[in-house]
Amino acid sequence: MVSPILELTDINKSFGHVHANKNINLKINKGTIHGIIGENGAGKSTLMSIVFGLYQANSGSIKINGKEINLRSPRDSIINGIGMVHQHFMLVENFTVLENIILGFEGETVFGEKLQKAKEDLEKLCQTYNFNIDLDATISDLSVGFRQRVEILKSLYRGAEILILDEPTGVLTPQEVDELFKILRSLKDEGKTIVLITHKLIEIMDLTSEVSVMRQGEMVGHTKTEDTSKEQLAEMMVGRSVLLRVDKKDIKKGETIFKVNNLSVKNDLDVTRVKDVNLEICSGEILGIAGVTGNGQTELLEALSGIRKVESGSIELFGEKISDQNNFLNPRMLKEKGLAHVPEDRQRMGLISDFKAHENLIFGYHDQEPYSKSAILNNKEITEYSNKVMQEYDVRPNSPNLITSNFSGGNQQKIILSRELNENPKVLLVGQPTRGVDIGAIEFIHQRLIDMRDKGAAILLASVELDEILSLSDRIIVMFDGKIVGEKENKNVTDRELGLLMAGVA
Amino acid sequence: MEFLSDIASLINSTLRISTPLVFAAMAGIFAERSGVIDFSLEGKMLMAAFVAAVGSYYLGNPWLGLLLAIIVCVCLSMLHGFASVTHKGDQVVSCVAINILIIGLTTALAAAWFGQAGLTPTLNEDQRFLEIHLPFADALRDIPFIGTLYSDILSGHYVFVYLAYLSVPLVFWIVFKTSFGLRLRAVGENPSAVDTAGINVFTMRYKALAINGVLIAFAGAHLSTAVNANFFREMSAGRGYLALAAMIFGKWHPKTALIACLLFGFTDALQIRLQGVELPAIGEIPVQLIQALPYILTVVLLAGFVGKAIAPNAIGQPYIKER
């Protein structure tokens, strides 16, 4: 009989009107890898932040090794052997690895002996787990994968017996994911307990022995991983059955309508982020750009959509040059020529979060008939249109007067998508269409993109989700360090192959 | 020999003039390294000058005046913290409010208590700080070079001058060699990292602001109870802003901030020396231009020569823990 190392009973937590956790019960057994799966906003991270002492529950109790404890701050949790690796790393970028790890647990007022001892202890830990981390390296010089290791090392150094990881694989290449999983398995073998929060079914199946499913703030099921399947878990997460694969007809490729020649683009810090990129997209085709975040995809999309200046090279639409280093068309002119853009960062560029939904639904077209006449907005027309389109795109709640920031990520994305697809663009640039979007909405968004392709649009899709690239694209290019390092027809390509290219090693 | 004594007196006044700037810049480093913008250095310095002068006048002891000034300045820092740390208000607005409040308050209180708007009574020798003459200063004066260095440059300053320059290595040590300093720098860079390390972000910022209040009080007391013998209206004269510029110029680092303060102090000392002096080939430089020199230098340095000053990452952002 295994006794639970962590036991949560009737945990409740509200943020204002949002009931993020409702009567949550959870038992986690010692020495296991326990998955917690659920859509974005299901309350997984909130629950684990309560266990880590970052938030305080409104009611309920937490027991560690059968003893009830009161977690008022992360310090209490750390002392009780709980460590957490957050989705956004909690590291000070201009500090060294060592400084980040000892922060808060220095053990002395003036640095001296203890610092030396910490260093020795950490070197031993690094050897034990084969971490290969330079303790004196500055965090900003480390890759994402290494930063994550620093976070794990930090928790271990602080004596974690239970290690919580919140969406740990979102920013990693497949190879880095393999490395991480290897580390997690070896930690389990040492007797540590791992809690893995994720929305990726495949990770649950790969790694965990038990899994708990959350939906809309509630715990809807616990099961042994071997007794379940991806389909079953997806259904529990969403509350209805979900199609995990996209239905896609064979490609009906038309002529080349969008062309990029030797394009280079600099970022705001004057660093060249897109280097000599060439690509073309045909009508009726989806071209996927795979790559780890920050390898130039953002700048590429911005330049193609007319937001960022072209440093050298040119962009052609229907054989007409639309941008080079001297001239470029602004996004509005591009829109008139049939180019639409769904930006990567929907909160910053895609929407005005403080506007009402109906305002965002027509923004950019607000000065055209029928939405306005002689510079005066026609509210009746706008409301009618909004009601119609929100129904068509299944935006929930269907209330055009709600402030946009009150919609969930998926519904915000649907608002943008409806606006951009409404004019039937010939070229569609899409960045991270399903980042922070729940499974149900992903299915919908993917279907819309496929429909656009079948109608003959040329689509450029940049995504850090390899699964998305693989299931939607007809052709895939991989970006690394601003360059295109590989191009493949999407036939029998594996994520491993792409992963090697993404890491810049192939 | 006259040239040498000119130089000596120029360095001497540079050290004196830079003193309030150094205190204020060190005060600024604590606040801003913790992630809290402090535009209110100016106002707090003015308030400290007023409180120190009034305190010394009534209590008859400049040290007690300084103590009062420290208490009041720490309270003002706490007020800034209450508005911008606890209640997450805009930090710049909070500072501007404090500055405006103090300009009016000092003038009004002086009028109410002493019958003269913005002026406190002149302090006698017991009520103010006097210049400290280092031992053997007179005896060693005639030794070439070393004598000048010791007697004319190092000796004969107010206690604040010595304290200011001693504070720089102390601040450096606290910020870079202690666990408090590590947490201070972390809280200004990534407060979430500090929070998840089990340290209270708000407490850290309040501690930093308390130290800020203590340091800035010295700058004000220096003005009204050492170099002057009373408080007069707006006597801080932009030194708080200048110190802030020096701190940014020094990239939030005590050593380089010190150099910037000395540079500003030097141009100020120079402009005093240059007033009315006929320069060969140029003639007499208009006094207004000379007086503007430190400020012109500030603008030029900040605009062009410093390079990109990278502020603490989380500066100006209130820490919001729950979404």
Side-chain angles (χ1 to χ4, degrees), chain B:
Chain B
M1 270 328 270
E2 197 183 328
F3 176 69
L4 199 64
S5 81
D6 265 359
I7 297 280
S9 94
L10 198 58
I11 297 177
N12 186 296
S13 19
T14 299
L15 290 178
R16 191 186 66 246
I17 293 168
S18 304
T19 294
L21 299 181
V22 172
F23 279 125
M26 296 304 127
I29 285 174
F30 275 100
E32 302 225 333
R33 280 277 186 176
S34 83
V36 182
I37 293 174
D38 195 9
F39 264 31
S40 62
L41 290 171
E42 176 73 13
K44 280 184 278 196
M45 195 191 298
L46 191 64
M47 193 65 183
F50 178 76
V51 173
V54 174
S56 303
Y57 177 71
Y58 280 124
L59 302 171
N61 184 331
W63 290 102
L64 292 177
L66 173 66
L67 186 67
L68 269 185
I70 290 175
I71 293 169
V72 172
C73 281
V74 170
C75 289
L76 284 172
S77 283
M78 293 300 107
L79 181 69
H80 181 36
F82 186 68
S84 61
V85 176
T86 303
H87 288 287
K88 310 183 196 328
D90 189 293
Q91 297 174 359
V92 174
V93 172
S94 161
C95 292
V96 171
I98 288 175
N99 286 344
I100 293 172
L101 172 79
I102 286 166
I103 291 175
L105 197 64
T106 48
T107 316
L109 286 179
W113 292 343
F114 308 108
Q116 275 174 300
L119 213 60
T120 65
T122 309
L123 303 172
N124 65 36
E125 291 209 339
D126 289 340
Q127 295 164 332
R128 59 179 285 229
F129 292 96
L130 298 174
E131 290 163 345
I132 297 172
H133 291 277
L134 298 179
F136 314 115
D138 288 328
L140 296 172
R141 174 156 290 135
D142 293 331
I143 302 172
F145 195 70
I146 296 174
T148 312
L149 180 72
Y150 184 76
S151 308
D152 291 341
I153 296 178
L154 289 182
S155 176
H157 288 292
Y158 301 103
V159 62
F160 293 111
V161 178
Y162 301 109
L163 289 177
Y165 298 103
L166 288 176
S167 79
V168 177
L170 184 67
V171 169
F172 175 82
W173 183 75
I174 292 174
V175 171
F176 292 101
K177 302 287 174 195
T178 67
S179 60
F180 175 80
L182 186 76
R183 295 173 181 195
L184 176 82
R185 285 180 286 137
V187 86
E189 288 291 334
N190 186 353
S192 304
V194 174
D195 196 4
T196 51
I199 307 161
N200 190 313
V201 172
F202 303 109
T203 314
M204 269 314 292
R205 289 192 168 162
Y206 272 109
K207 282 182 187 167
L209 283 173
I211 298 173
N212 161 283
V214 172
L215 284 168
I216 195 69
F218 281 81
H222 173 74
L223 293 179
S224 67
T225 58
V227 281
N228 295 290
N230 67 343
F231 170 87
F232 56 87
R233 207 177 145 160
E234 289 170 36
M235 80 184 301
S236 51
R239 286 184 184 88
Y241 297 124
L242 214 54
L244 199 72
M247 180 197 68
I248 294 170
F249 177 30
K251 301 186 176 172
W252 290 267
H253 199 288
K255 283 191 213 161
T256 32
L258 169 69
I259 293 168
C261 288
L262 287 172
L263 191 64
F264 287 143
F266 176 73
T267 50
D268 207 17
L270 193 67
Q271 63 98 352
I272 296 168
R273 299 271 323 160
L274 283 181
Q275 282 179 27
V277 175
E278 296 253 352
L279 287 183
I282 305 171
E284 194 179 321
I285 303 170
V287 68
Q288 290 85 353
L289 182 68
I290 295 175
Q291 282 175 338
L293 216 65
Y295 304 95
I296 295 173
L297 185 76
T298 311
V299 172
V300 171
L301 284 177
L302 282 179
F305 288 92
V306 191
K308 201 172 163 87
I310 297 168
N313 202 14
I315 198 160
Q317 300 161 8
Y319 180 56
I320 296 163
K321 185 168 165 175
E322 298 196 353
R323 54 185 174 178

Side-chain angles (χ1 to χ4, degrees), chain A residues 127-138:
Chain A
Q127 259 169 9
T128 314
Y129 295 104
N130 214 355
F131 269 3
N132 196 17
I133 295 173
D134 175 9
L135 295 174
D136 295 318
T138 306

